[in-house]
Amino acid sequence: MTETAGSRAAVLARVSSGGQATGDRQSLPMQRRMMEQYAEREALTIVEVFEIPGESAFTPELSQRPQFLAAIEAAERGAFDVLLVYDLSRFARDQRVLHECLHRLRRANVRLVGVHNGIDYTSDEGRDWAGLEGMMAERASREQGRRIRHAKDQRFERGLPVGDTPFGYRRIATDLPPEVVPEEAEAIRWAFGEYANGLGFQAIASEWNRRGLRPRSKRGLQTFGVSSVQSIIESRFYVGCLTHLGRERPGAHEPILSEADWQAAQSRTRRQSHRPQVYDVLLTGLAECATCGGPVWSKAFGERRTDGARRVYYWEPARVRGRACPAAGLSWRTSAVDAEVASAIESMGCDDEWLVEAAEVAEKAGPTTSHHERERLQQKRERLGLAMAEGMLSPERARIEIARVDREVAQLPMDGPAVLAAGRRFASIWEAWPGADVRARTALLRILFERVRLDVAGKRVEVVPAPDFAGMIRHRASYVETKCRGTPGRNRTCAFGSGGRHSIR
């Protein structure tokens, strides 16, 4: 079909893996070339290009395809009028994702055109074609997955590695075992020997980085960290063994280490193995870095006190994890952070006066649109559970659909009744808080907050409330800000988002 001359177009090119990105068959350059030629013939102006070098189209959850989702959201913002793809298999292979995205594009008045056949899949006729092609693509993906699993099993039985080639080796041909890289092999022998004699993972990583060695990283990491070195020290590949799905067998590749050298390193690990030190800190498993989003650890530093204990800090471990972060290595005393969070919780107590006002707001609001939508989604969730129980829906598909409903519920605006209900739930958490120990308080925080972000450089805490409590916490903070300013025991609540060292996001 011929598009309106001068229409703005976006190009979406996708391959499932980085290895396909530069090949000849449906590679990214080939797809782009075909779509650019189509745009020139149809007098379309290309204003955006989305190249996705390693994202499966068979993924059943749109949220697991961030690059693809960015193209759909750009269409909804009105960034272009036509979205060009090489063919429908480059767009989506899961039926539910396909039809959801077609619906979103139609609602945004954006056409989806496959350049290999010129079909507009957002038209009435094109949607029929999309259904047929989508079913064929989904079936092809399932068949391809079966073939890949079979091929991996076959490689394992032939003594060939399954997956990426480890550090220390290079792949010379698909059907041949990898060959040893001499410089890397020498570094591995040195590392195993030094580790057996007491050198740590971080010291080994630092030395390898100083030598200019680079890890085999799917995430694009350019330096070694503690985790990458540890995985190498623990790998049986270097003594000539392969592992696959819990099984081990001799490989066809040349070993770098003797069994005795490998066992010497493992014996040190066994000697040092003990239960890791667990510190009773409030944000265990909750804290993440506000700068890079990575996990923040708790760690003891400094000399031991007279009682044998040491000061404990929240610590940004990016450097030892092999990733970059401006806050790497910085720390903040856990006692100070925990006091900030505890102060905020304690000052948020749901007094009777606030609950009365929330009830009045709820009564005036009545059953809002979001309230009815929330009820509809809850009923849908119950029907999905019933369908699974009766065997009408597979457990896997039911879990996917229920998770989707839960996300839709979380995105609904909080109305009066929802704020009141959340307030009553929070009141029970607040009442339990004073008598709870640190681990119990951590469990309560997991209910209340989705995550807690620490700015260890600026010494700030940012909390992201769980969807069920987001409206209630903001309503409560606004109430204290306007009604309770200067009231003893209440005005500290204003620190949540208004000038304190902790804020709501």
Side-chain angles (χ1 to χ4, degrees):
M1 66 176 288
T2 302
E3 309 294 341
T4 304
S7 292
R8 299 167 302 154
V11 164
L12 190 153
R14 183 200 65 81
V15 290
S16 298
S17 65
Q20 298 174 317
T22 56
D24 293 330
R25 184 176 178 273
Q26 292 191 357
S27 66
L28 291 178
M30 186 279 286
Q31 292 179 47
R32 281 194 60 173
R33 185 169 60 252
M34 296 292 289
M35 288 184 277
E36 288 168 356
Q37 292 172 356
Y38 180 90
E40 184 177 357
R41 289 197 307 270
E42 302 296 333
L44 300 173
T45 302
I46 296 177
V47 295
E48 265 192 86
V49 174
F50 299 93
E51 281 199 353
I52 308 176
E55 193 175 89
S56 172
F58 194 47
T59 305
E61 286 296 323
L62 193 54
S63 60
Q64 296 174 5
R65 299 184 59 187
Q67 299 176 83
F68 175 74
L69 182 57
I72 303 300
E73 291 174 342
E76 293 176 322
R77 292 195 302 269
F80 46 85
D81 310 303
V82 184
L83 181 58
L84 300 179
V85 294
Y86 175 70
D87 62 33
L88 203 62
S89 69
R90 302 297 94 198
F91 185 73
R93 288 175 176 261
D94 180 83
Q95 286 284 288
R96 187 182 63 77
V97 170
L98 171 62
H99 290 291
E100 177 184 344
C101 291
L102 287 177
H103 174 72
R104 291 174 67 169
L105 291 175
R106 280 172 62 95
R107 191 169 55 189
N109 293 319
V110 174
R111 296 184 178 90
L112 174 68
V113 177
V115 302
H116 79 296
N117 57 16
I119 291 178
D120 175 4
Y121 291 105
T122 50
S123 67
D124 291 336
E125 182 181 359
R127 293 182 74 182
D128 294 337
W129 279 105
L132 292 172
E133 289 187 29
M135 284 189 292
M136 294 173 64
E138 185 170 327
R139 181 174 180 179
S141 290
R142 289 199 183 96
E143 180 62 23
Q144 183 180 17
R146 187 194 64 78
R147 290 197 299 270
I148 290 174
R149 289 191 295 272
H150 178 70
K152 287 182 176 180
D153 290 341
Q154 291 292 103
R155 286 186 62 83
F156 179 71
E157 294 302 326
R158 292 174 56 198
L160 299 176
V162 177
D164 298 329
T165 303
F167 175 74
Y169 294 85
R170 69 166 64 93
R171 177 171 292 187
I172 54 177
T174 303
D175 57 346
L176 293 176
E179 67 177 12
V180 173
V181 179
E183 181 185 9
E184 295 179 358
E186 187 276 329
I188 288 170
R189 295 188 190 100
W190 170 85
F192 270 80
E194 292 299 317
Y195 178 75
N197 290 325
L199 198 64
F201 294 139
Q202 181 58 62
I204 294 172
S206 298
E207 173 59 20
W208 282 0
N209 293 332
R210 188 193 66 77
R211 295 186 188 185
L213 300 173
R214 295 290 179 261
R216 307 281 193 268
S217 172
K218 288 184 176 180
R219 295 180 294 162
L221 299 179
Q222 295 299 305
T223 57
F224 283 96
V226 169
S227 296
S228 53
V229 172
Q230 182 177 358
S231 65
I232 288 172
I233 295 294
E234 294 174 351
S235 174
R236 295 279 296 162
F237 194 88
Y238 299 106
V239 294
C241 292
L242 298 175
T243 56
H244 177 55
L245 300 179
R247 295 181 292 159
E248 183 177 299
R249 61 155 295 143
H253 60 285
E254 176 187 350
I256 290 176
L257 300 167
S258 68
E259 183 70 28
D261 291 336
W262 190 86
Q263 289 292 348
Q266 309 315 305
S267 65
R268 178 199 170 188
T269 301
R270 287 191 291 269
R271 287 196 306 271
Q272 293 190 341
S273 64
H274 54 79
R275 294 188 64 183
Q277 179 67 53
V278 178
Y279 305 105
D280 286 332
V281 296
L282 194 57
L283 302 181
T284 300
L286 271 171
E288 66 178 42
C289 177
T291 304
C292 68
V296 172
W297 294 354
S298 56
K299 186 174 181 179
F301 293 102
E303 297 182 359
R304 294 184 182 276
R305 302 196 302 260
T306 55
D307 61 359
R310 292 191 293 175
R311 291 180 177 177
V312 182
Y313 294 79
Y314 289 114
W315 174 62
E316 217 307 327
R319 190 173 293 120
V320 301
R321 300 292 291 176
R323 54 182 171 82
C325 176
L330 298 181
S331 59
W332 188 3
R333 283 281 298 276
T334 57
S335 57
V337 179
D338 292 356
E340 288 284 329
V341 177
S343 171
I345 297 296
E346 290 161 4
S347 65
M348 284 283 289
C350 297
D351 52 84
D352 292 340
E353 183 180 344
W354 178 79
L355 287 173
V356 168
E357 176 166 313
E360 292 174 352
V361 171
E363 185 177 353
K364 291 177 182 178
T368 62
T369 302
S370 64
H371 176 71
H372 290 306
E373 181 65 9
R374 193 179 304 274
E375 285 189 342
R376 184 188 71 80
L377 290 171
Q378 293 293 356
Q379 292 171 1
K380 181 178 180 180
R381 197 181 194 283
E382 292 173 4
R383 290 196 299 272
L384 288 168
L386 182 61
M388 180 181 67
E390 294 180 350
M392 300 169 61
L393 201 62
S394 69
E396 180 180 0
R397 175 57 69 177
R399 283 193 295 269
I400 291 172
E401 293 297 334
I402 288 173
R404 182 186 177 198
V405 170
D406 289 343
R407 285 195 301 273
E408 292 181 21
V409 171
Q411 292 169 359
L412 290 174
M414 295 290 285
D415 54 17
V419 169
L420 180 58
R424 287 170 176 158
R425 286 181 62 199
F426 179 76
S428 63
I429 293 175
W430 183 73
E431 289 171 0
W433 183 268
D437 60 18
V438 174
R439 295 189 182 185
R441 287 187 172 189
T442 300
L444 294 175
L445 289 181
R446 291 181 184 277
I447 298 172
L448 191 60
F449 298 140
E450 192 170 86
R451 59 184 181 273
V452 180
R453 308 185 68 195
L454 299 186
D455 177 3
V456 292
K459 299 295 187 287
R460 287 186 58 82
V461 184
E462 178 184 86
V463 297
V464 181
D468 287 350
F469 291 99
M472 183 281 299
I473 290 177
R474 291 187 175 89
H475 188 282
R476 171 66 178 169
S478 174
Y479 170 82
V480 174
E481 180 83 22
T482 57
K483 298 287 183 70
C484 306
R485 183 179 295 277
T487 303
R490 288 183 177 175
N491 59 343
R492 288 179 301 166
T493 306
C494 300
F496 258 135
S498 56
R501 295 209 302 172
H502 38 277
S503 60
I504 296 175
R505 185 179 178 188

